[in-house]
Amino acid sequence: MSLEKQLFLSFFSVSACLLVLSLGISLFYNVNRRKAEIDSLISGVAAYAASMDQVIHMLDSGYPDRETAAALDGLHENFPDLNVIAIYDRNLLRFYHTTRRESGESLINGEEQAVLSGSGPYITTGIGTHGTQRRAFHAVVGNDGAISGFVMASAFSTYIAEQSRQIFSVYAAVLVVMLVVSFLLSHGTVRLLRSSLMGYHPQELLRLYLRQDTVLNAMEEGILASDLTGTVVFANQPARALFPPGEEPLGQPIGRLFPATRAQEILKTGSPVMGQGCSLSGHPLICSEIPIGNLPKIQGVLTILNDRYEVETLSDELSGARSMLDTLRAFNHEFLNKLHVILGYLQTGQTQQAITFITNSSLVSSQAIRQTADCLRVHQICALVVGKMMHAAELGILLTVSPDSRCMGKDLVMDVGDCVTLVGNLLENAIEELHGSKKEIREITLGIYASTEGTVITCEDTGRGIPAPVLERIFDNGFSTKGEGRGTGLHLVRQIVDRCGGEISIDTEEGEGTCFTLTFTRKEYQ
């Protein structure tokens, strides 16, 4: 279904629903109001007839009266909605009834007992020879103050139903007319919409817009379009990302958002400005500004922004060159240190010690270094971890980075320096624990998971576990089970975690190992 048909059906459907709803409510109200009016009419006529002196005198005398009957006939004729008036004495002897040939016989069937017992006026639904009736009963009080009889005034249910049908017919006719009007108005609205779109069908414009929007938002460059007044009328997603969160560029002056713009100069000269260096909200940019149209019918300026810092960062993330270079430098440094140790042993004649050192030294594989560099894209952290891996390998400890780790500088919650301190102390603490352990399996697994929501650091070892008394004081400054002058590393970890609003959890089991988990959540996700 085309968009034009959808718009037409939407307009017409909404109009029809509103019409049906409003007319339905009005119909319901009027039908019930009409029924209430008839009930009020028969109740009023009954009350009036019961208060007539002729009626009271007729019941007190015990004989029907022609003059009273004539007065009641006149009363009946003045109310076309009233079908029956009947008067009975206490013994249910009828003293008056409208023409039974026309109105039929009314069967009371005990409905009079309440009014003869002193009840106030009331209305019931009774049965007559012409069908059901709405009946109003009212007591007639004689001159002696006693109830001498009652008056019954009624309207046929068929008459009330006919009144309801007439009202419904009127409303049905109004509904048909209004639906026709709504149909014509909806059709006219769609035609007016098409004319305002310069003859294009809405579906065609929708396809063009979606195609344009998809293409422009898929571009890596930020694009801003401003009109002749310098107001931004379009900004794609990469352009919006250059502004602080919550700042909407649309509708803003281009000069306020981008002070280095030369839009006014371009509108006057019609000459583009290409490749100028600039800065926007702290982002180093390469900016190009191009006029939209040609003189003298320039319609605005198109500003194309390339984030130089993001391009460099993206290149670094894709290649991992910087991290790999720093890692190789650390690897080379550690390797030279090993060679110097071996050389010292040989020069001092300690051949056996040199052999033992070479045998116990297992260099970290290039695959492990590559995996570490792929996971940890912050070169300071990567170099630290590789150095710790080599140090651990010298002690016969296997230190690995969890393959699902992901760490980039822009995603870290804390400063890189704080992260280096946290990771270094956790790893050093685990290495010292395993170095003093006599367990066959001595392994450490490090995990760093940095995302837009927060950062999680885990350090798990297969050491001896932490006893409960030690666990209670493990973060105290100066507390250590390894001798004097120790116990500052984990205390420093606790200080950094508290300062950054993080949490520490320790999962340990004696004889099995320990896992430290540091969790940092960004404020906007807390």
Side-chain angles (χ1 to χ4, degrees):
M1 183 181 297
S2 67
L3 180 60
E4 187 174 355
K5 290 183 179 179
Q6 292 181 19
L7 291 174
F8 170 77
L9 290 178
S10 297
F11 292 151
F12 182 71
S13 298
V14 170
S15 300
C17 289
L18 291 176
L19 283 173
V20 172
L21 182 62
S22 60
L23 290 178
I25 294 174
S26 179
L27 176 62
F28 177 80
Y29 170 77
N30 282 323
V31 168
N32 284 277
R33 181 177 60 84
R34 182 59 178 156
K35 291 179 180 179
E37 288 176 352
I38 293 177
D39 283 352
S40 178
L41 171 65
I42 61 176
S43 180
V45 170
Y48 178 75
S51 65
M52 292 175 63
D53 293 337
Q54 298 96 317
V55 173
I56 297 173
H57 177 72
M58 180 177 65
L59 291 177
D60 285 343
S61 64
Y63 295 98
D65 185 356
R66 290 180 179 272
E67 294 181 1
T68 302
L72 292 173
D73 288 340
L75 180 64
H76 174 262
E77 292 174 357
N78 288 328
F79 295 99
D81 293 335
L82 183 65
N83 298 117
V84 176
I85 299 176
I87 298 176
Y88 296 83
D89 66 2
R90 292 188 59 85
N91 299 318
L92 300 185
L93 180 63
R94 185 167 56 215
F95 278 62
Y96 172 82
H97 194 289
T98 52
T99 307
R100 283 173 287 171
R101 185 177 300 175
E102 298 177 0
S103 60
E105 186 71 28
S106 297
L107 306 178
I108 300 178
N109 294 331
E111 296 177 4
E112 78 289 348
Q113 294 300 321
V115 71
L116 292 176
S117 299
S119 171
Y122 55 89
I123 297 177
T124 65
T125 300
I127 300 175
T129 55
H130 286 184
T132 59
Q133 304 171 356
R134 288 289 288 171
R135 297 172 173 175
F137 289 85
H138 200 289
V140 179
V141 180
N143 293 322
D144 57 356
I147 297 176
S148 58
F150 63 91
V151 177
M152 182 194 72
S154 63
F156 295 149
S157 296
T158 53
Y159 176 78
I160 298 175
E162 180 62 27
Q163 294 286 305
S164 300
R165 281 194 293 271
Q166 291 178 4
I167 296 174
F168 180 79
S169 300
V170 173
Y171 273 82
V174 172
L175 177 61
V176 172
V177 173
M178 295 302 294
L179 286 177
V180 172
V181 173
S182 177
F183 179 89
L184 296 176
L185 287 176
S186 299
H187 184 68
T189 301
V190 173
R191 290 181 63 86
L192 181 62
L193 178 63
R194 185 193 302 175
S195 64
S196 65
L197 298 177
M198 296 179 294
Y200 287 98
H201 289 279
Q203 189 71 27
E204 296 173 346
L205 290 179
L206 178 62
R207 284 197 296 267
L208 290 173
Y209 173 79
L210 293 176
R211 188 181 305 127
Q212 167 194 284
D213 190 63
T214 301
V215 171
L216 292 178
N217 285 319
M219 298 177 66
E220 296 182 358
E221 296 84 359
I223 298 177
L224 295 175
S226 55
D227 58 16
L228 294 175
T229 64
T231 302
V232 177
V233 295
F234 174 80
N236 67 349
Q237 290 297 332
R240 294 171 187 265
L242 298 176
F243 294 94
E247 183 171 357
E248 175 58 52
L250 293 181
Q252 301 291 332
I254 185 68
R256 188 180 70 81
L257 298 174
F258 184 40
T261 183
R262 297 169 64 181
Q264 294 300 321
E265 176 185 340
I266 294 172
L267 290 174
K268 295 177 180 179
T269 63
S271 301
V273 177
M274 308 296 293
Q276 61 176 338
C278 57
S279 177
L280 176 63
S281 300
H283 295 283
L285 301 174
I286 299 175
C287 172
S288 298
E289 295 183 285
I290 305 170
I292 302 175
N294 299 315
L295 287 175
K297 296 183 178 181
I298 295 180
Q299 300 178 2
V301 175
L302 190 67
T303 304
I304 303 174
L305 305 173
N306 289 284
D307 191 334
R308 183 187 304 169
Y309 173 78
E310 187 172 339
V311 171
E312 292 175 353
T313 302
L314 179 61
S315 176
D316 180 56
E317 290 177 356
L318 291 176
S319 63
R322 290 182 59 188
S323 296
M324 183 62 72
L325 180 61
D326 290 332
T327 302
L328 290 176
R329 286 173 180 169
F331 184 89
N332 183 61
H333 179 74
E334 293 294 328
F335 183 72
L336 289 176
N337 286 339
K338 291 178 180 293
L339 291 179
H340 289 158
V341 172
I342 295 172
L343 179 61
Y345 280 136
L346 294 177
Q347 288 180 341
T348 57
Q350 302 179 53
T351 306
Q352 185 59 43
Q353 286 84 346
I355 295 173
T356 302
F357 181 80
I358 294 173
T359 303
N360 293 334
S361 297
S362 56
L363 297 177
V364 180
S365 68
S366 59
Q367 181 180 357
I369 295 176
R370 265 196 315 272
Q371 178 180 327
T372 302
D374 288 339
C375 296
L376 310 180
R377 294 301 180 87
V378 182
H379 61 274
Q380 298 98 318
I381 300 175
C382 182
L384 168 71
V385 173
V386 171
K388 294 295 183 182
M389 292 171 68
M390 294 180 175
H391 175 53
E394 294 176 0
L395 303 177
I397 301 170
L398 176 62
L399 170 58
T400 59
V401 175
S402 180
D404 58 346
S405 295
R406 181 183 181 275
C407 178
M408 298 185 183
K410 64 183 180 65
D411 293 332
L412 285 175
V413 173
M414 74 291 293
D415 294 334
V416 174
D418 288 338
C419 187
V420 169
T421 301
L422 293 173
V423 173
N425 280 286
L426 290 176
L427 290 179
E428 189 62 31
N429 188 67
I431 290 172
E432 289 184 359
E433 164 61 23
L434 290 178
H435 181 53
S437 171
K438 297 181 180 180
K439 298 184 66 174
E440 294 183 2
I441 300 177
R442 299 192 295 175
E443 296 179 356
I444 301 172
T445 303
L446 174 69
I448 304 179
Y449 310 92
S451 66
T452 56
E453 298 182 2
T455 301
V456 177
I457 301 173
T458 62
C459 181
E460 183 177 4
D461 65 61
T462 59
R464 294 164 293 187
I466 304 175
V470 176
L471 188 61
E472 295 177 356
R473 301 186 56 195
I474 194 170
F475 295 110
D476 293 349
N477 188 19
F479 176 78
S480 175
T481 60
K482 300 170 182 142
E484 297 292 334
R486 309 295 296 275
T488 59
L490 290 180
H491 175 70
L492 184 58
V493 168
R494 165 59 76 181
Q495 286 184 325
I496 295 176
V497 170
D498 291 343
R499 174 161 48 82
C500 297
E503 297 179 357
I504 301 178
S505 64
I506 303 175
D507 185 13
T508 183
E509 184 177 351
E510 292 192 38
E512 297 297 330
T514 302
C515 179
F516 284 80
T517 302
L518 313 184
T519 305
F520 303 88
T521 305
R522 296 188 190 276
K523 293 182 179 180
E524 55 267 31
Y525 291 97
Q526 292 179 348

